[in-house]
Amino acid sequence: EPEVTQTPSHQVTQMGQEVILRCVPISNHLYFYWYRQILGQKVEFLVSFYNNEISEKSEIFDDQFSVERPDGSNFTLKIRSTKLEDSAMYFCASRLSRVTEAFFGQGTRLTVV
Amino acid sequence: GESVGLHLPTLSVQEGDNSIINCAYSNSASDYFIWYKQESGKGPQFIIDIRSNMDKRQGQRVTVLLNKTVKHLSLQIAATQPGDSAVYFCAVPLGVEYGNKLVFGAGTILRVKS
């Protein structure tokens, strides 16, 4: 069964450092997303990406965040200068269409120290 | 916009009983709804979905009910098992004007007692 894969599964970084979280969405999907989840809280939307551009971003997704789809398979989230409050699980998701379910990866646990 | 919320943050049920998890949504134009299950340390996993032209949809041991009049949906799990213990989220996709994003509810923790 096709699946969304994310790497790394766990990333520890020092405050102020740049991190890149990587995702390989399902190959024929058209809509791509990044979400984050602070421990014990709900899944928060960060950004959606369609047709090679950002279609929507949340207030969390400030100038320190960026996304790229550098080739036909990868979808990355970059945080330029991490803060302690960026510590969370980050999930990538993809969908085939607007009225189909989103498939989620297993997440990257980001710990900023 | 869309806000999605849940009525009960934690639900404890006895193994073998039925579970009902509720969700309210705010946008009457929403036309598609999804339930996800999230186990500890894992990503959300699709359980079942329903479109607004239906009021009930059944899967294996799960049923989703949609009441568009009061903007409410529920997830029913029959004969709840220990493996059903997880956090359950309802999610509503928004339209192109909102980037087709999926908005999640707060989540309900389901605890199954053996």
Side-chain angles (χ1 to χ4, degrees):
Chain A
E1 185 174 311
E3 59 180 11
V4 175
T5 57
Q6 290 185 242
T7 54
S9 56
H10 192 186
Q11 173 94 46
V12 181
T13 188
Q14 289 200 325
M15 191 169 52
Q17 294 297 302
E18 175 183 286
V19 294
I20 298 176
L21 310 184
R22 302 180 190 280
C23 171
V24 179
I26 294 173
S27 61
N28 63 336
H29 283 189
L30 302 175
Y31 299 85
F32 311 105
Y33 306 88
W34 282 100
Y35 286 82
R36 81 171 187 191
Q37 186 178 36
I38 294 170
L39 186 65
Q41 299 186 21
K42 76 175 189 179
V43 181
E44 293 181 289
F45 169 78
L46 289 178
V47 65
S48 57
F49 193 87
Y50 172 73
N51 203 23
N52 289 318
E53 61 182 16
I54 290 173
S55 47
E56 179 80 1
K57 56 185 180 180
S58 72
E59 292 177 353
I60 303 167
F61 195 90
D62 61 21
D63 291 345
Q64 295 301 309
F65 289 83
S66 62
V67 289
E68 276 192 338
R69 189 159 160 79
D71 51 41
S73 59
N74 293 286
F75 181 50
T76 62
L77 174 69
K78 181 193 290 186
I79 310 175
R80 289 189 185 80
S81 179
T82 50
K83 302 185 286 288
L84 294 176
E85 54 265 37
D86 293 329
S87 296
M89 282 289 284
Y90 287 80
F91 293 106
C92 172
S94 69
R95 296 165 73 191
L96 177 61
S97 77
R98 198 185 70 78
V99 287
T100 55
E101 72 270 31
F103 290 80
F104 284 78
Q106 291 302 297
T108 293
R109 180 174 298 282
L110 177 65
T111 303
V112 182
V113 296
Chain B
E2 173 70 64
S3 68
V4 185
L6 291 166
H7 293 176
L8 297 173
T10 304
L11 177 65
S12 294
V13 299
Q14 198 67 37
E15 181 179 358
D17 288 352
N18 296 333
S19 303
I20 300 175
I21 300 169
N22 298 300
C23 180
Y25 62 96
S26 61
N27 188 347
S28 56
S30 297
D31 61 359
Y32 178 59
F33 307 88
I34 311 170
W35 280 100
Y36 284 92
K37 173 186 181 183
Q38 187 180 27
E39 295 174 294
S40 181
K42 296 185 178 180
Q45 180 184 14
F46 170 81
I47 303 172
I48 193 168
D49 57 3
I50 189 168
R51 300 196 184 192
S52 59
N53 61 350
M54 304 171 70
D55 52 22
K56 180 179 180 179
R57 188 162 189 228
Q58 288 185 291
Q60 188 177 13
R61 281 201 307 116
V62 294
T63 300
V64 55
L65 299 177
L66 175 63
N67 185 330
K68 294 181 287 293
T69 303
V70 296
K71 292 181 282 189
H72 180 271
L73 68 158
S74 65
L75 176 71
Q76 300 179 0
I77 304 173
T80 313
Q81 301 170 359
D84 295 326
S85 293
V87 181
Y88 290 81
F89 296 94
C90 62
V92 178
L94 301 189
V96 63
E97 64 273 29
Y98 299 106
N100 297 297
K101 67 183 180 185
L102 206 60
V103 176
F104 279 77
T108 291
I109 300 171
L110 177 64
R111 292 200 175 102
V112 182
K113 298 175 285 188
S114 299

